[in-house]
Amino acid sequence: MSNDAKVLADVVKDVHKELRQELNKTGDIESVWVNHCRNIARLKKYASSMHKLASEHWEQLRISNPATSRINWTWSFLQYYFFAGGLEIQRRKSNPHTVRPELILKEPKISVLDVGSCYNPFGEYEELDVLPIDLCPALGSVYHCDFLKIPIGEKSILDGQNVLSLATSHFHCIVFSFLLEYFPSSSQRWSCCEKAYMLLVEEGILIIITPDSKAAHSNTKVMRSWREALAAIGLKRIKYEKLQHAHCMAFRKVSVDTELTREDRELLAPKMYIPQDFHNRSDSDSETKNEVKFTEEELAEGFMYLPMLDE
């Protein structure tokens, strides 16, 4: 890995670490997030570092080894699901006797909401109608939006480069690529996924890609926990693949029989954990009923890695 790539990656990791430390110190996720959103200097430094890391260093790796690319993986899956029979296969698996209406594409294009887009990497595909949003866009082509706070309405409303609302049941695909680990709280990750469910059309796809350079089996507990939590809100995992530097998952929006209660949500939200959530906790904190126990080896690195060039 080049020294420049390492410096950029350290900037990204340090912001994640600082947010977790601030939450551990105050216990108030709302104030931590508000203060973070007001820290323009930190947001811009993060956005610039992520943009350069992804568009220069990761792009080199994408060209030399396409199988490592999260962008390639996402595009390949969307082609399969929407254009090559994947949707029909899932319909037959779930309920072969149910007659469903045709999923109508626009023009025909796949309507994509790319959350935490940074520099709109999916904009290169003509088959995609992409709305790229980010808390602090690296490029002017990406719209400013705090996905945690954005209201949902009958239609998406844009004002210049700002998003004022997003349309319910509108998007064929929502992409969370290296997004969820940004948040210091499992409740925030859970809220993002619940919002994605509301924004997706029926049978739409949520793509979640999260960084991990360890062996595929090293964080199976985490991936299983996410799968169980999202299934409860009607996001059924239909594809999982471990790339060299990331877990890649596709979840299909399906109907659920019962609406979740507040108590259900309080039990399910902690399932959207990452190992770092349990770092720097006191002994008393580790006894909470919802905490997941890890071995020392499992806690050693967790999701601390971001995909890099090979050393």
Side-chain angles (χ1 to χ4, degrees):
M1 182 195 347
S2 70
N3 184 63
D4 182 50
K6 185 179 185 305
V7 171
L8 295 170
D10 285 343
V11 170
V12 172
K13 294 178 187 178
D14 286 346
V15 170
H16 297 175
K17 183 178 180 181
E18 289 164 7
L19 284 170
R20 291 194 301 271
Q21 289 174 338
E22 291 163 11
L23 177 57
N24 287 336
K25 182 178 179 180
T26 68
D28 184 352
I29 187 56
E30 185 65 24
S31 65
V32 167
W33 190 249
V34 168
N35 291 336
H36 176 62
C37 294
R38 291 174 177 170
N39 192 337
I40 304 302
R42 179 161 71 171
L43 291 175
K44 287 185 175 180
K45 185 176 182 180
Y46 182 98
S48 175
S49 299
M50 179 61 85
H51 177 215
K52 189 174 182 181
L53 184 63
S55 63
E56 295 182 14
H57 299 281
W58 294 351
E59 187 62 22
Q60 292 177 14
L61 183 59
R62 180 188 180 192
I63 294 170
S64 62
N65 190 357
T68 66
S69 170
R70 73 196 193 282
I71 306 301
N72 290 353
W73 188 92
T74 300
W75 169 234
S76 177
F77 180 81
L78 293 182
Q79 280 186 304
Y80 158 76
Y81 184 79
F82 288 104
F83 300 132
L87 171 58
E88 288 71 22
I89 290 173
Q90 290 300 320
R91 285 180 167 182
R92 289 197 296 269
K93 283 183 177 180
S94 60
N95 195 335
H97 304 296
T98 299
V99 177
R100 297 178 182 270
E102 180 182 358
L103 188 62
I104 299 176
L105 300 180
K106 181 182 176 182
E107 295 183 349
K109 289 190 175 183
I110 303 169
S111 177
V112 176
L113 178 67
D114 184 16
V115 185
S117 179
C118 184
Y119 65 105
N120 191 19
F122 295 102
E124 65 183 87
Y125 298 105
E126 294 183 357
E127 297 87 347
L128 304 182
D129 178 22
V130 184
L131 176 58
I133 64 174
D134 200 290
L135 185 62
C136 183
L139 296 182
S141 58
V142 178
Y143 292 82
H144 175 264
C145 176
D146 181 353
F147 189 69
L148 284 172
K149 303 297 184 181
I150 193 70
I152 297 177
E154 293 183 1
K155 62 180 180 178
S156 296
I157 301 176
L158 309 180
D159 180 14
Q161 288 305 115
N162 296 303
V163 180
L164 303 184
S165 71
L166 291 171
T168 184
S169 303
H170 173 77
F171 297 96
H172 299 117
C173 173
I174 295 176
V175 178
F176 291 169
S177 180
F178 296 171
L179 173 78
L180 295 182
E181 62 282 345
Y182 183 105
F183 300 108
S185 166
S186 60
S187 64
Q188 291 175 310
R189 300 177 206 121
W190 171 258
S191 295
C192 282
C193 294
E194 273 203 306
K195 184 166 285 186
Y197 180 88
M198 291 185 283
L199 293 170
L200 283 169
V201 300
E202 190 74 15
E203 300 185 282
I205 294 295
L206 171 63
I207 298 288
I208 297 180
I209 301 176
T210 191
D212 187 359
S213 293
K214 299 173 72 177
H217 65 275
S218 299
N219 282 301
T220 54
K221 287 183 180 179
V222 179
M223 296 298 97
R224 182 171 62 247
S225 186
W226 287 19
R227 184 189 67 202
E228 293 171 353
L230 297 186
I233 58 173
L235 291 169
K236 180 182 178 183
R237 198 177 79 182
I238 60 173
K239 177 70 174 179
Y240 167 82
E241 188 172 353
K242 176 64 171 69
L243 301 188
Q244 183 178 354
H245 301 295
H247 299 275
C248 299
M249 295 162 277
F251 296 83
R252 175 174 175 251
K253 177 176 176 177
V254 297
S255 299
V256 289
D257 295 332
T258 57
E259 186 174 342
L260 294 180
T261 65
R262 180 178 177 179
E263 290 74 19
D264 292 331
R265 289 183 171 86
E266 290 176 351
L267 290 173
L268 289 166
K271 286 181 172 288
M272 297 301 297
Y273 66 84
I274 58 177
Q276 296 97 305
D277 291 345
F278 306 109
H279 290 177
N280 304 318
R281 295 285 187 88
S282 68
D283 291 339
S284 60
D285 287 339
S286 66
E287 297 304 319
T288 58
K289 66 178 181 179
N290 287 324
E291 181 165 315
V292 180
K293 308 300 181 181
F294 292 92
T295 66
E296 301 237 345
E297 181 179 357
E298 288 172 325
L299 280 171
E301 297 180 67
F303 278 35
M304 290 297 289
Y305 289 105
L306 285 169
M308 309 296 176
L309 298 174
D310 291 336
E311 297 187 77

